Amino acid sequence: MNRIGKSLRLLLPLALVFQPSAHGAKIGDIRDTNAFEQALRFWTFQDVAVQYAVMGSILMGICCGLLGAFLVVRKLSLVGDTLSHAVMPGVALGFLWSATKDPVAIFIGATVAGLIGVGGVNLIKQTTRIKEDSALGMVLAGFYAIGICLFVMIQRMGTGDKSGIDKFLFGQAAALSASDIWLMAGVTLISVIIVAFFYKELLTTSFDAGFAKSSGIAAGFFHYLLMMLLAFAVVVSLQATGIVLVSAMLITPATAAYLLTDRMGWMLVLAMIFGVFSAVLGAFLSFLGNSLPTGPFMVLGASLVFALAFMLGPRHGLVPRRFRERSRRIRIQDENTLKALYHVLERGGFESQVVELAQLANQLNESAPEASQRVEQLTKKHMASISEIRDEKLAGFRKEIALTPTGWQRACEIVRNHRLWELYLTNAADYPADHVHDDAERVEHLLGESTVRAIERKLDFPRKDPHGKLIPSIDDMARNLGQGTSDVSPSGYRQPQT
C-alpha cells in the first residue's frame, strides 16, 4: 500500500496533464440499463469488448500471479514497482517509433526500457556501495521522470489525446484488441513453459542463491531470465491495469497466497487463481457503472483477497491466530489452577481428597470469586467438581473442590513437567537451583509426552527435583487411578512413592 501511495503521488503531476481522461478507463459506456442488465451483459459475453477484457484479465492474472510469487519469495517486491515505471519511456518511444499505438512496437520499446532499468539497478549495486533499495528508488524515479517528459511531448503533438496512449497510465481493459490478446497469450504461455521446465532451478535460486551456485546452477542466468519474463508480464499488463498499478497485480495475489501455504507449488497455483479472480472481478465491477476505472478495481479485488487471507487464513490469519492465542491462554490458566490444587493437596500430605476454595484462593494469591471462576472453568471441562458443605463453626457453607480422574492426571503431568525441567536445567545446563523456576513455569505448558519421556531417560528416571520434592511418574498416576499393576489398591490421590 505504501508503494501504491508513493506511486499515486508521483502520478499526480501527470494526471493533471491528462486531466480530460483522468477519470480512469472503463470497459463500456452505460446505456439506458440498470446494474442487473449490465451484469447480465457482462456474464453472457454479448459484447466483443467484454470478451477481450475477460480473456485479457484471465491471462494477466495467470502471468502476474505466477511470476509475482517468485518476486515475493525473493524479497524483490520493489523490483515489480521499478519495472512498471521503467517501461514508461519505452511505451512512449514505441509510440513515437510507429506513430500509432502498435502493440508490437510498444511491447519492444517497453521491454527494452524495462531491461535497461533492471540492468541499471544491478550495475549500480555491483559497482558502488549503494544498496539495492536505494538503486531501485533512483531508477524508478529517473525512468518515471523521462516517461513523463515523453508523454507530455506526445500530448503536445496534437494527436496524443486521440492516440489513446494515455490509457497506459490508468489501464483500460476495453482497449484490448485481438492482437493484444494474442500477445498476452504468447507471453503467458512462454512464462508457464519456462517456469514448468526450470521450476527446480528457479525454486533453488529463489530461496538460496549461494547453495544454487555451489550446486552448479547458474543463479545469475535464472535471475535475469526471471527479470525478462517479469518485463514481458509488466508490458502486456499495462493496457489492463496501467503503469502505476500493475505492480500491485504482481505482488498482492502472491502475498495473499504466501499467507495461506508454505509450499511453493501451491503458492504458485493460489497466486494465479487469486490473480485471475481479482482481474475478472475488477473488469466486472468496472462494467457495472459509467466511467468506472478497470485497473483500480482489479487492484481493489486483489486487496480484498489479501484482506480475507490476512484475516481468515487458517495458519497465519489474524482471526484464527487470535482464537488460538485465546485458547492457549485459557488452557494455561486451567493448568495453573490444577497445579495449584495439587500443591495444596501435597502440602497436606495428600491426607484430604478435597481442597477448600479459600485454600485455593490463598495458593493462587487471588480473591475467592476469582478462584471460584477458575474452578467453574474446570468443572465445565470435567476436570473438577465443587460442592457446598455446611460448616457449623462458620454457621454457613464452605465450598470444597475435588479433582476428577482427568483433572488429577493433568495436574500430575504439569507438576511432573515443571519439576523435570527444573532438574534438567540444573543437571544438564548447570543452572543454579534458585534460577530455574521462572523458566520451568513457561516450559511446563509446552512439553509434549515424548519430550518428557526423553528427559526422564536422560536423567535416569529421577524421583526428586532440585528442591527435594517428589516428581510424579507415570506409574504414580496410573496407580492412583486404579490402572497400575501394583498390589496397592487405589484409595484416592496419594503422594508419589519414593
Side-chain angles (χ1 to χ4, degrees), residues 11-60:
L11 185 64
L12 183 57
L14 195 58
L16 295 175
V17 174
F18 291 103
Q19 190 172 5
S21 57
H23 60 273
K26 55 188 175 51
I27 293 179
D29 292 330
I30 288 283
R31 295 181 301 199
D32 293 332
T33 57
N34 55 37
F36 176 77
E37 292 173 336
Q38 283 293 105
L40 191 62
R41 281 180 58 198
F42 184 90
W43 293 113
T44 54
F45 306 109
Q46 298 175 9
D47 302 337
V48 175
V50 172
Q51 296 173 12
Y52 286 159
V54 172
M55 285 189 287
S57 300
I58 292 173
L59 293 169
M60 183 188 68

Side-chain angles (χ1 to χ4, degrees), residues 169-484:
L169 300 176
F170 306 100
Q172 185 182 36
L176 293 172
S177 62
S179 56
D180 292 321
I181 297 299
W182 279 111
L183 194 58
M184 296 176 76
V187 169
T188 303
L189 182 62
I190 291 172
S191 300
V192 171
I193 291 174
I194 289 179
V195 169
F197 195 75
F198 295 111
Y199 175 73
K200 183 179 67 177
E201 288 80 3
L202 288 170
L203 183 67
T204 306
T205 54
S206 296
F207 285 96
D208 195 338
F211 173 76
K213 290 178 181 176
S214 64
S215 302
I217 298 175
F221 168 76
F222 286 103
H223 174 76
Y224 286 107
L225 178 64
L226 180 63
M227 292 300 108
M228 185 183 70
L229 293 177
L230 281 168
F232 289 169
V234 167
V235 174
V236 298
S237 302
L238 293 180
Q239 278 277 59
T241 58
I243 288 171
V244 176
L245 298 179
V246 67
S247 62
M249 292 303 293
L250 279 170
I251 303 305
T252 310
T255 52
Y258 187 72
L259 292 177
L260 297 180
T261 180
D262 295 328
R263 309 293 297 181
M264 189 62 189
W266 278 111
M267 183 179 173
L268 295 177
V269 173
L270 289 175
M272 287 189 288
I273 293 174
F274 294 159
V276 170
F277 172 79
S278 305
V280 174
L281 178 64
F284 169 67
L285 293 176
S286 171
F287 189 71
L288 291 180
N290 191 17
S291 299
L292 296 179
T294 52
F297 270 105
M298 291 180 179
V299 176
L300 287 176
S303 300
L304 173 64
V305 173
F306 176 82
L308 291 174
F310 175 72
M311 295 299 294
L312 304 176
R315 186 169 180 180
H316 302 290
L318 188 63
V319 173
R321 196 165 65 241
R322 290 286 181 269
F323 181 78
R324 287 195 297 271
E325 291 173 355
R326 181 177 179 274
S327 300
R328 183 167 59 249
R329 189 169 59 251
I330 292 174
R331 177 178 61 80
I332 290 175
Q333 187 182 53
D334 290 343
E335 291 174 349
N336 285 335
T337 307
L338 291 170
K339 187 174 64 176
L341 289 168
Y342 182 96
H343 286 159
V344 174
L345 292 171
E346 184 183 46
R347 195 162 52 243
F350 294 97
E351 293 298 328
S352 175
Q353 298 297 303
V354 297
V355 174
E356 293 184 14
L357 182 62
Q359 292 177 300
L360 177 63
N362 185 56
Q363 177 68 29
L364 293 169
N365 197 24
E366 293 180 346
S367 65
E370 290 174 330
S372 179
Q373 189 175 8
R374 283 173 174 260
V375 175
E376 287 179 7
Q377 287 185 188
L378 293 181
T379 57
K380 291 177 182 177
K381 297 171 183 173
H382 308 290
M383 289 186 174
S385 60
I386 187 167
S387 57
E388 290 188 347
I389 306 298
R390 183 169 184 77
D391 192 325
E392 298 297 338
K393 294 180 181 178
L394 297 176
F397 293 89
R398 69 173 188 275
K399 291 183 177 180
E400 292 183 346
I401 306 150
L403 290 170
T404 65
T406 303
W408 166 255
Q409 182 165 352
R410 189 57 189 155
C412 290
E413 289 172 351
I414 292 298
V415 172
R416 179 183 55 155
N417 293 354
H418 183 101
R419 294 177 179 175
L420 274 176
W421 189 251
E422 285 187 332
L423 189 63
Y424 176 78
L425 290 179
T426 54
N427 288 13
D430 293 329
Y431 272 54
D434 56 347
H435 282 67
V436 295
H437 176 76
D438 291 342
D439 192 74
E441 281 287 310
R442 293 188 295 271
V443 174
E444 65 188 17
H445 304 287
L446 307 176
L447 293 176
E449 189 61 29
S450 59
T451 305
V452 171
R453 297 308 301 270
I455 295 174
E456 282 183 325
R457 288 193 297 272
K458 182 175 181 62
L459 300 176
D460 195 20
F461 299 96
R463 299 301 298 146
K464 292 185 178 181
D465 71 358
H467 311 291
K469 294 181 179 178
L470 292 173
I471 301 174
S473 67
I474 291 180
D475 288 341
D476 293 327
M477 289 183 278
R479 184 167 48 252
N480 285 328
L481 297 175
Q483 301 168 353

Side-chain angles (χ1 to χ4, degrees), residues 64-244:
C64 288
L66 180 68
L67 301 176
F70 287 103
L71 276 185
V72 170
V73 298
R74 286 171 177 246
K75 301 178 182 178
L76 293 175
S77 299
L78 192 56
V79 170
D81 208 19
T82 303
L83 262 176
S84 65
H85 288 77
V87 301
M88 190 173 177
V91 172
L93 291 173
F95 175 80
L96 291 173
W97 178 31
S98 62
T100 62
K101 205 182 70 173
D102 180 21
V104 176
I106 291 176
F107 176 81
I108 294 174
T111 302
V112 171
L115 294 177
I116 291 174
V118 174
V121 170
N122 289 328
L123 182 65
I124 294 173
K125 188 177 65 174
Q126 294 172 2
T127 59
T128 68
R129 296 188 302 170
I130 296 174
K131 301 297 183 184
E132 185 173 25
D133 58 338
S134 300
L136 287 169
M138 287 191 299
V139 171
L140 183 152
F143 275 69
Y144 190 68
I146 297 172
I148 289 178
C149 294
L150 292 174
F151 269 65
V152 171
M153 186 178 72
I154 293 173
Q155 181 74 8
R156 291 177 178 175
M157 289 170 61
T159 56
D161 275 339
K162 297 176 183 179
S163 68
I165 192 172
D166 56 306
K167 304 307 181 196
F168 282 96
L169 300 176
F170 306 100
Q172 185 182 36
L176 293 172
S177 62
S179 56
D180 292 321
I181 297 299
W182 279 111
L183 194 58
M184 296 176 76
V187 169
T188 303
L189 182 62
I190 291 172
S191 300
V192 171
I193 291 174
I194 289 179
V195 169
F197 195 75
F198 295 111
Y199 175 73
K200 183 179 67 177
E201 288 80 3
L202 288 170
L203 183 67
T204 306
T205 54
S206 296
F207 285 96
D208 195 338
F211 173 76
K213 290 178 181 176
S214 64
S215 302
I217 298 175
F221 168 76
F222 286 103
H223 174 76
Y224 286 107
L225 178 64
L226 180 63
M227 292 300 108
M228 185 183 70
L229 293 177
L230 281 168
F232 289 169
V234 167
V235 174
V236 298
S237 302
L238 293 180
Q239 278 277 59
T241 58
I243 288 171
V244 176

